[in-house]
Amino acid sequence: MKYVSTRGQAPVLEFEDVMLSGLARDGGLYVPETWPTFSAEQIAALRGCSYQEIAFQVMFPFVSSSIDETEFKELINEAYSGFSHRAVAPLVQMDDNLWLLELFHGPTLAFKDFAMQILGLLMDRALIKRGERATILGATSGDTGGAAIEAFRGREQIDIFILHPSGRVSDVQRRQMTTAQEKNVFNIALEGTFDDCQAMVKAMFNDHEFRDGMKVTGVNSINWARIMAQIVYYFTAAVALGSPNRPLSFAVPTGNFGDVFAGFVAHKMGLPIEKFVVATNVNDILVRTLETGTYKPDGVMATYSPSMDIQVSSNFERLMFEMAGRDATRVSALMSDLSTKGEFQLSENELAPMRDLFIGMRIDEDETVSRIAAEYEDNDYVIDPHSAIALEAGARCSGRAKDVPMIALATAHPAKFPDVVTKATGVEVAQPARLIAQLKSEERVSQLPNDLATISQFIADKTRASKVA
Ligand SMILES: *Cc1c(COP(=O)(O)O)cnc(C)c1O
């Protein structure tokens, strides 16, 4: 499988180079040249298979030029062995035709582990094979950082630098990142918002001299390998509920559009998905875009669901590329409008197919709290605020998405957001043992200003990658 950039000016690459480069050199995002497809018979054959077996079937077409079958199977088994549920991604019924897909049984209790665990192994393998080192640079609104650090801590070939918006991630999220004691882990608390962190990382990626000198790579969801790993649980959930014979819909709590784009890929690959509910908190750029066709970032508001406090949704560019008929010139023009005018306007031709498949739904703070409370009262089940947004949005859209099962994605364990969960339910959230152990150690973090020169210098001073010939 070869990969092309959404802006058409970067070299066409194989999987391993796409994974190691993160962002394409023209500022675009890599996508597969073609989508592999599964026939109805092939989908039916996945029924009853383990998560790991389905993961292999779904992902292998994307990586087959870079890794052989046996080795890939071994990596998959290792990646998901640290999950604390045998089914890896179990489904729970919440109401008639309404289901929750629990994606929080990984080592950092958020769905980011699904992609990060396999990415850590794939990157390490590729770098060892090449005798190279790399500098991982990432921005986090909370969960990506913890999951990335967990996956890359102590890896000899890699130094990892994670920027988080100072004071804007939950206590648990911060401690999950900053308590790693390994010398290859660097936490930067940036004085700014998540979008500032993301802009900073983008700026360093676009500085080719810096990027090449420090062997910089990214593990944000701009990295195709992240998206690829997230396609899998759409398949496992769908076949568990009767696909390919029975269509279904998903409600996805959305920030960077990575997770819902992975669902879109599953749809492209042949899963009979009726609708995706794009569920946001009050930072609702995607809902507004679906309504008006105008993509216009606004100020970011801090909410109970910090992992979705995003106004620049980087993976949306991958969807635009598809909706514009893979016209990279058109995508480049829209993205250039965004940087010069602060917004862009989608055409009716691009919007119509988007609206066929995606329903935007904004859930505010009170509605989030009410949903957490209602699940506790009615179902004796404690959910986190991100999952509550998905569940509330999914429940509201079940009717509009016809008479098919609605699966809401539960992206984090409630113990990661104890304050709002306790506020909603009146009970203390039990902390899983792995979290208690993780949170005891001392914190390691550098507080730095929102200034490109300062951050670049910090990284240049600390990374080992630039010192290797
Ligand atoms: C990252 C994250 C999201 C948003 O996922 P995107 O791929 O950025 O849309 C939702 N919920 C939780 C708990 C997250 O960590």
Side-chain angles (χ1 to χ4, degrees), residues 110-112 141-144 173 221 226 230 252-260 307-308 310 313 315 384 386-387 411-412 417:
F111 86 101
K112 303 282 196 308
S141 57
D143 295 321
T144 305
Q173 287 179 320
S221 55
R226 290 267 312 271
Q230 292 172 205
V252 188
T254 309
N256 244 328
F257 208 77
D259 205 4
V260 64
S307 303
M308 292 152 65
I310 289 170
S313 226
N315 270 287
D384 102 290
H386 305 79
S387 313
T411 48
F417 305 94

